[in-house]
Amino acid sequence: MRLPLGIALAGTIICIGSIAQAAPCLDVTLTGTQGGPPVFKGQAGAGTLVRFGDSDTGCNDILLQFDTGRGTTQQLSKLGVPVGKLNAVFFTHVHSDHSEGLIDMAQLRWHFNSVGPKLDVVCSADSASPAGHSMSCTKYAAAIGDSMIASGEMAQRLLENPRRLAGGPAELLNVMTFLPEDDAAVVWSSGDVKVSAIKSTHVPGHASYRVDTPAGSVVIGGDAGNDALKPPRDSSTSAQVEKLALGADILVHSVIHPVMGPDGSSGFPPPIYYRQSTATDLGSLSERTGVKHLMLTHLIPPLGAPQQGPYPIEGGGLTEVDYIDAVRDGGFQGDVTVGSDLANYRITAE
């Protein structure tokens, strides 16, 4: 017998047709958009928060932070995201403007979450530089509380609350390293959420990431640039990031505007210009890969800034339109977000 949508059972009406399933959602927030070590109008350092969940949980089931520039903890607090709730932190590289916020984050977790759980810190294995030094996320994490230990601050805090971990915040970090390759490989997963990484050129150990979820996918390019460190070359963008971004819904990527190029009047150092991806070339990459939404971050120069560090901007500062026009020059017709701190984009599965 075929049952109607409203069924009377022991005096209770069950309206089957009215039961709505929660829809999976992917939420991407730029926690910091400052380009490089300078500071302009209080912008936070580079970082991207990726959240996954459903419409019932507000996309807050899985919380992943990619890079932790200065001020990341404060930015997360504006979003109502306690650092103790983060599932994992991922580093594209350990340049200070991408990593120094972990110090504050780890210290705060040590104060109030010493019982755990530990925070996964996912990054490249130690990478040797041609100059002889090593880029080491592992050593950075191990030394995360050393200045507080040396100053006696941590000993004092332990007297106030002996339940805190005696070894300091480093004991709360679960460092998970990988060897980045030219082909993407899964480096972290939880349930239906999978994070893959690929080798990319910027400094030794630089990696770019892709997050795949039932709601959609996002690629975080970091500061990736072309393997050819200067012209002649077809593009300033990374071939590995292009491979990673094929069919992605969102691409989050650092950007440099062509106004900073050697042909301009800023005096910006050519080697630093050449190791970043230009807005125009990112537009071309996004069009080729079928990306639906491009989020520009780590802006060089920041919107409205009269200079990038000590380097003056021709015309006295760029606008959002200047960046979008440069992207369109690359042929991209999709949506563009020119990053400001806490800019957000959400995908909800149909």
Side-chain angles (χ1 to χ4, degrees):
M1 182 178 72
R2 189 172 181 179
L3 297 176
L5 290 181
I7 305 172
L9 179 62
T12 301
I13 296 178
I14 305 173
C15 296
I16 297 175
S18 67
I19 298 175
Q21 290 187 331
C25 54
L26 173 68
D27 195 276
V28 179
T29 305
L30 305 179
T31 55
T33 56
Q34 177 65 43
V39 182
F40 179 68
K41 291 190 174 180
Q43 288 185 159
T48 303
L49 175 68
V50 176
R51 291 181 278 185
F52 171 74
D54 58 42
S55 51
D56 286 346
T57 64
C59 294
N60 279 314
D61 292 335
I62 301 290
L63 306 175
L64 309 177
Q65 180 69 35
F66 292 83
D67 288 336
T68 59
R70 71 169 72 90
T72 297
T73 297
Q74 285 86 342
Q75 299 291 72
L76 292 176
S77 73
K78 295 174 185 177
L79 298 169
V81 176
V83 295
K85 296 292 186 181
L86 289 175
N87 297 94
V89 165
F90 300 79
F91 283 123
T92 60
H93 61 302
V94 290
H95 262 160
S96 61
D97 56 308
H98 290 252
S99 63
E100 62 190 341
L102 183 65
I103 299 171
D104 179 46
M105 186 179 294
Q107 186 80 354
L108 189 60
R109 283 182 74 117
W110 178 78
H111 273 278
F112 300 108
N113 302 95
S114 269
V115 296
K118 289 190 175 184
L119 175 65
D120 290 344
V121 176
V122 185
C123 52
S124 294
D126 289 8
S127 301
S129 162
H133 63 273
S134 177
M135 302 292 281
S136 178
C137 163
T138 302
K139 291 178 181 177
Y140 175 58
I144 203 79
D146 283 3
S147 61
M148 294 295 102
I149 292 172
S151 71
E153 193 271 354
M154 201 158 286
Q156 181 62 40
R157 296 290 189 184
L158 285 168
L159 285 176
E160 298 165 1
N161 185 350
R163 290 177 295 177
R164 292 171 176 145
L165 293 171
E171 289 191 29
L172 272 173
L173 303 181
N174 177 39
V175 179
M176 305 169 64
T177 62
F178 60 91
L179 287 171
E181 304 286 352
D182 285 334
D183 291 315
V186 175
V187 294
W188 190 92
S189 63
S190 177
D192 292 329
V193 176
K194 178 180 69 176
V195 181
S196 303
I198 200 166
K199 178 183 178 181
S200 43
T201 295
H202 179 60
V203 295
H206 190 284
S208 300
Y209 297 92
R210 175 171 173 145
V211 184
D212 286 294
T213 78
S217 55
V218 56
V219 169
I220 294 91
D223 286 4
N226 198 279
D227 291 346
L229 301 182
K230 61 181 180 179
R233 56 188 183 177
D234 293 335
S235 175
S236 60
T237 56
S238 164
Q240 294 87 357
V241 170
E242 183 160 343
K243 187 187 304 184
L244 198 66
L246 283 170
D249 294 291
I250 306 168
L251 171 61
V252 178
H253 208 293
S254 67
V255 65
I256 194 164
H257 194 278
V259 74
M260 304 304 296
D263 294 339
S265 60
S266 71
F268 196 73
I272 299 178
Y273 176 79
Y274 290 137
R275 75 181 185 188
Q276 296 284 345
S277 294
T278 69
T280 302
D281 289 344
L282 283 170
S284 298
L285 181 151
S286 299
E287 186 67 20
R288 289 192 301 269
T289 56
V291 165
K292 299 179 180 67
H293 193 104
L294 174 61
M295 300 183 79
L296 301 177
T297 188
H298 193 276
L299 271 62
I300 299 176
L303 293 176
Q307 58 191 51
Q308 169 73 18
Y311 306 105
I313 310 304
E314 187 175 336
L318 299 182
T319 67
E320 185 176 345
V321 171
D322 291 323
Y323 272 101
I324 292 176
D325 284 348
V327 169
R328 299 295 184 217
D329 287 343
F332 183 58
Q333 299 303 312
D335 296 328
V336 181
T337 294
V338 181
S340 58
D341 287 9
L342 302 184
N344 175 267
Y345 189 75
R346 177 175 290 191
I347 301 172
T348 301
E350 295 180 359

